[in-house]
Amino acid sequence: MSSTALDTAALKQQFPLLQREINGTRLVYLDSANTSQKPAVVIDTMTNFLRNSYAPINRSAYQLAAEATDAYEGARTKVQQFINARRAHEVVFTKNATEALNLVAHSWGRANLQAGDVVVLTHMEHHANIVPWHMLVAERGIVLRWVPLTADGQLDLTTLAQLLDGAKVFSFTAMSNVLGTITPVQQLCAAAHAAGALAIVDGCQYVPHNVTDVQAWGADFMAFSSHKMCGPSGVGVLYGREALLEAMPPFLGGGNMIADVRLDGFTTAELPAKFEAGTPPITEVVGLGAAVDFLIGLGMANVRQHEIEVAGYALRTLTSRFGDDITLHGPTDTSVRGATFSLAFRGIHPHDLSQVLDQTNVCVRAGHHCAKPLMRLMGVAATARASFYLYNDTDDVDALADALDGASAIFGF
Amino acid sequence: MAGLEDLYREIILDHHRNPRNRGELPPPAPHAVGHNPLCGDEIEVYLQVEDGRVTDIKVGGQGCSISQSSASMMSQAIKGKPVADVQALVRRFKGMMSIPDADGNEIEPDPEVKLGDLEALQGVVKYPVRIKCAILGWNTLLEALEQV
């Protein structure tokens, strides 16, 4: 059943892959926190671009190359508006969000962090917002501090001021990919700034599902990926405040990122080319632009409202059907969570659970979700994760619940 | 639920619910830990080898039904066997899992080596992702044997 905010029956029709049947039954795709499916408009835009307009960008004078450059830069403007960045050149295209976070840690971090400097992270970070900082611990001797979690999987902010005291960076997720928790981004950015630290936001799980406004947040940097928001894989975004990006050394060196190269050195190009060395994923960026248009057409407030309704239905349905036999990690209040659920069910190992669910085409992820420190804190090696998106509805929640019943039958409960 | 009977055979579920030879052996018992980094499954193998014979084995760790039951059945199958027979059994089991030998060649089944209950794991081959689960304990066993 659809929600009040989105007509999912019509929406599903726009996603060719969701029309696929396996063994005569429909696909119940509940792995969008991993990667999302693509609407026809994104697929068609990319195909049309490849068929009609594909050419190098920023380096040739002929009309076709100008068209391709316009399409590429047009996508940048769409992304700028989508996240409400002040300037288009504050949007840097990367390979993925992981590269975007590495760019900040590598380029800004190496230019600004010395031994003993403090970087504050949280216990709910994804590996992409942990390992780049660990690398600076090894290389520079920086010190990491961690914001702990409350029992219901929210950030425990009681000691935030002490943790941020003297810190240079506070880098945190806007929404946990494991717990579904939405963090108070604006408050966290303000706390970072009050302590004199930069605020870096991992927006991977948030941007596809919510209205994003980097200026209202006060974020200094923000990273997210195209493939989780109906766009293609192969392209991510780093938003950075102009003054910060201007002052940073380049990340990768090569073509496109230079103004001049001599035998004795080089000068960098202006933003954003300075951070886009080599031929970028041109078609993918154009596809991301189409995804942004698609999402704007739906309205991100509607997407968020829809997911609140689906998350609420999932919480009610799974709890009423399975009671104490199911554990749903993370907050139960839908105002502070998205529609991503890590679950434990009757002691059945997540691998076994996902294998059985697959028999009825219910696709969930089993594993550590690239967040091993959090999994250790939760006392589990792995969870099964069902994540809902704009094309999922209450029927999909029911299909998950029915599949869980099937798992009970096999494992003898 | 159609299709999964081959994977979740009753004997596999039995070993999953009641794993055999659980526990550990004190140092200096040969000991190895195997991880599947993809899913976090973990197996620990402790051995007691006397006069070229595996006189005791204990298995620890945690993971899915396939990794745990495979390790449990393995422990039953090798306890009391000469190391050479254990090596042959590992080779036979890997062959059943369609894992090639060190040179990349298919392992021909040796009719002299009996799999017994382990044949119940044959159904895993149809689920390539799960082969890593089934083989984890066996690779960990090989690592522990190297310390003997």
Side-chain angles (χ1 to χ4, degrees):
Chain A
M1 227 181 71
S2 295
S3 64
T4 56
L6 293 180
D7 180 358
T8 38
L11 258 179
K12 282 187 187 190
Q13 295 297 320
Q14 298 184 45
F15 287 75
L17 195 138
L18 296 178
Q19 309 309 309
R20 185 174 166 191
E21 294 191 344
I22 300 178
N23 300 324
T25 48
R26 73 183 184 94
L27 204 58
V28 181
Y29 187 75
L30 304 182
D31 201 15
S32 298
N34 210 335
T35 196
S36 70
Q37 297 300 341
K38 320 304 174 198
V41 65
V42 168
I43 299 166
D44 294 346
T45 298
M46 294 174 71
T47 307
N48 287 338
F49 180 76
L50 284 168
R51 284 179 175 275
N52 299 305
S53 304
Y54 183 80
I57 57 157
N58 292 339
R59 53 180 74 164
S60 300
Y62 46 88
Q63 183 187 330
L64 190 63
E67 277 178 30
T69 303
D70 285 349
Y72 182 87
E73 292 302 328
R76 193 188 311 277
T77 306
K78 293 176 201 283
V79 171
Q80 174 211 346
Q81 290 163 354
F82 188 62
I83 63 171
N84 196 32
R86 199 169 58 86
R87 309 286 298 273
H89 63 227
E90 292 178 322
V91 171
V92 173
F93 291 123
T94 59
K95 181 176 68 181
N96 46 35
T98 297
E99 185 183 282
L101 288 165
N102 274 271
L103 192 165
V104 175
H106 187 99
S107 176
W108 187 91
R110 282 185 172 180
N112 293 282
L113 296 176
Q114 309 301 329
D117 282 348
V118 173
V119 170
V120 180
L121 307 173
T122 85
H123 277 159
M124 63 168 81
E125 296 314 310
H126 178 269
H127 292 166
N129 194 28
I130 298 176
V131 180
W133 304 109
H134 272 318
M135 290 162 74
L136 282 178
V137 170
E139 188 187 310
R140 283 289 161 95
I142 67 164
V143 175
L144 301 184
R145 291 183 192 153
W146 303 85
V147 178
L149 304 187
T150 61
D152 75 336
Q154 299 192 61
L155 293 179
D156 179 351
L157 302 179
T158 49
T159 57
L160 184 64
Q162 291 99 297
L163 289 168
L164 285 173
D165 185 31
K168 290 275 174 69
V169 172
F170 183 21
S171 189
F172 56 90
T173 185
M175 175 172 150
S176 163
N177 69 320
V178 174
L179 301 168
T181 313
I182 294 173
T183 63
V185 178
Q186 197 164 349
Q187 181 191 345
L188 300 179
C189 289
H193 293 154
L198 280 192
I200 304 174
V201 182
D202 174 357
C204 281
Q205 299 290 337
Y206 184 98
V207 173
H209 305 279
N210 292 275
V211 177
T212 301
D213 186 334
V214 288
Q215 293 188 75
W217 278 350
D220 294 304
F221 293 103
M222 199 269 288
F224 62 103
S225 51
S226 154
H227 72 96
K228 293 190 204 293
M229 51 182 281
C230 300
S233 59
V235 56
V237 173
L238 174 67
Y239 158 79
R241 276 201 299 115
E242 182 181 45
L244 290 165
L245 292 173
E246 291 282 10
M248 278 157 60
F251 176 42
L252 302 174
N256 198 52
M257 55 74 72
I258 45 86
D260 188 24
V261 181
R262 304 167 305 277
L263 291 178
D264 65 349
F266 71 99
T267 47
T268 55
E270 298 291 312
L271 293 177
K274 173 181 169 184
F275 292 106
E276 293 181 2
T279 296
I282 303 170
T283 310
E284 287 72 16
V285 166
V286 172
L288 169 59
V292 167
D293 282 342
F294 173 77
L295 291 173
I296 289 173
L298 296 177
M300 291 311 293
N302 293 328
V303 171
R304 171 64 183 143
Q305 180 55 34
H306 168 76
E307 292 183 19
I308 286 174
E309 291 177 33
V310 172
Y313 183 79
L315 284 161
R316 288 192 300 277
T317 302
L318 297 173
T319 309
S320 70
R321 279 180 69 166
F322 303 111
D324 291 341
D325 287 335
I326 196 163
T327 304
L328 297 165
H329 296 287
T332 52
D333 175 357
T334 53
S335 71
V336 291
R337 68 137 47 249
T340 290
F341 296 95
S342 274
L343 55 93
F345 184 66
R346 290 177 174 157
I348 301 173
H349 192 276
H351 263 192
D352 295 317
L353 202 55
S354 80
Q355 185 98 57
V356 178
L357 265 47
D358 184 48
Q359 288 298 295
T360 48
N361 295 332
V362 175
C363 309
V364 301
R365 177 166 177 189
H368 55 58
H369 316 297
C370 300
K372 289 190 90 168
L374 173 59
M375 304 302 280
R376 283 199 187 92
L377 287 166
M378 291 162 66
V380 295
T383 69
R385 182 186 66 187
S387 52
F388 298 83
Y389 198 19
L390 48 85
Y391 37 66
N392 295 118
D393 52 23
T394 54
D395 292 345
D396 294 333
V397 175
D398 292 334
L400 170 64
D402 292 344
L404 289 171
D405 266 333
S408 300
I410 287 191
F411 286 92
F413 294 97
Chain B
M1 201 165 283
L4 281 181
E5 300 85 356
D6 284 349
L7 183 64
Y8 295 122
R9 305 274 291 273
E10 190 46 43
I11 189 164
I12 293 177
L13 293 175
D14 178 56
H15 275 265
H16 172 49
R17 288 188 203 106
N18 307 296
R20 320 298 202 269
N21 299 306
R22 280 293 285 190
E24 41 192 87
L25 295 172
H31 167 226
V33 188
H35 295 275
N36 182 345
L38 227 58
C39 60
D41 277 8
E42 189 179 284
I43 302 258
E44 295 194 62
V45 171
Y46 300 83
L47 295 176
Q48 182 176 305
V49 178
E50 292 166 309
D51 302 328
R53 190 175 284 272
V54 176
T55 52
D56 201 4
I57 171 169
K58 293 288 183 197
V59 179
Q62 49 73 35
C64 68
S65 61
I66 303 300
S67 69
Q68 300 302 306
S69 65
S70 179
S72 170
M73 287 190 208
M74 173 189 84
S75 72
Q76 267 193 329
I78 71 163
K79 199 166 169 177
K81 281 212 167 71
V83 170
D85 290 6
V86 171
Q87 302 274 17
L89 185 65
V90 174
R91 187 176 158 81
R92 178 84 166 82
F93 184 79
K94 286 194 169 188
M96 182 173 81
M97 290 291 122
S98 298
I99 292 177
D101 66 14
D103 300 321
N105 299 317
E106 194 182 325
I107 299 174
E108 292 292 329
D110 178 351
E112 297 296 307
V113 180
K114 303 294 179 212
L115 284 164
D117 287 352
L118 288 163
E119 283 193 32
L121 285 162
Q122 189 146 30
V124 174
V125 177
K126 282 203 293 186
Y127 303 88
V129 180
R130 304 305 290 276
I131 292 175
K132 280 202 175 75
C133 306
I135 211 74
L136 180 62
W138 297 78
N139 284 332
T140 312
L141 169 66
L142 287 181
E143 278 184 50
L145 279 172
E146 279 173 20
Q147 297 171 20
V148 175

